[in-house]
């Protein structure tokens, strides 16, 4: 990231807030796409959450994965691997909070933007039964 984030827990919380906003924005875009193409709310939530997590926590998740599989036998390789990571001490915490922030942002976006979309799909799935014209005695 090119943002000047803090280090430690405040930096992880800032990254989670950014991930939350990404989750809301990505869900809003997917809700619009699903409304235009006739897809369900489940498509918007699923794709919105997956893309929000990939965008918000992608680089840090890759760094965490790379540190787990790379061979860091010498101090030189370890220093080179850690040099490109912003705040490697809190990398795991930051990834976890970014994933939680992106998922929470997706749910908040669903809560904010999908009242019409969910109502339209529920009405289409369960139409009202026709009312009889004559009263039954």
């Amino acid at each position: 990231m090119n943002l000047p984030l803090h280090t430690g827990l405040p930096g992880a919380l800032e990254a989670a807030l950014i991930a939350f906003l990404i989750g809301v924005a990505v869900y809003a875009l997917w809700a619009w796409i699903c409304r235009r193409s006739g897809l369900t709310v489940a498509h918007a939530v699923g794709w919105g959450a997956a893309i929000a997590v990939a965008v918000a926590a992608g680089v840090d998740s890759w760094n965490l994965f790379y540190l787990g599989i790379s061979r860091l036998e010498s101090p030189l390789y370890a220093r080179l691997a850690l040099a490109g990571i912003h705040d490697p001490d809190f990398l795991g915490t930051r990834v976890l909070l970014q994933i939680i922030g992106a998922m929470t942002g997706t749910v908040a976006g669903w809560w904010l933007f999908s009242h019409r979309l969910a109502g339209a799909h529920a009405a289409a799935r369960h139409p009202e039964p026709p009312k009889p014209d004559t009263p039954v005695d």
Side-chain angles (χ1 to χ4, degrees):
M1 275 203 259
N2 293 332
L3 298 173
L5 295 176
H6 292 92
T7 57
L9 190 58
L13 291 173
E14 286 175 352
L17 180 63
I18 293 168
F20 178 83
L21 296 175
I22 289 171
V24 171
V26 169
Y27 180 80
L29 176 69
W30 270 99
W32 180 78
I33 290 170
C34 290
R35 211 175 287 124
R36 301 291 248 164
S37 62
L39 296 173
T40 63
V41 176
H43 286 96
V45 170
W47 283 108
I51 292 173
V53 168
V55 169
V59 174
D60 288 333
S61 298
W62 172 252
N63 287 334
L64 189 64
F65 175 72
Y66 180 74
L67 285 177
I69 64 166
S70 64
R71 303 175 97 184
L72 301 175
E73 286 126 8
S74 73
L76 174 65
Y77 289 141
R79 233 176 306 158
L80 288 175
L82 294 175
I85 299 172
H86 172 75
D87 192 20
D89 292 335
F90 277 83
L91 182 62
T93 305
R94 193 168 60 243
V95 168
L96 178 68
L97 289 178
Q98 284 173 338
I99 291 171
I100 291 171
M103 296 295 221
T104 306
T106 303
V107 170
W110 169 74
W111 184 72
L112 289 171
F113 301 119
S114 286
H115 297 294
R116 289 181 291 158
L117 185 61
H121 286 296
R125 233 179 302 144
H126 303 292
E128 291 287 324
K131 296 181 181 177
D133 293 334
T134 58
V136 178
D137 290 324

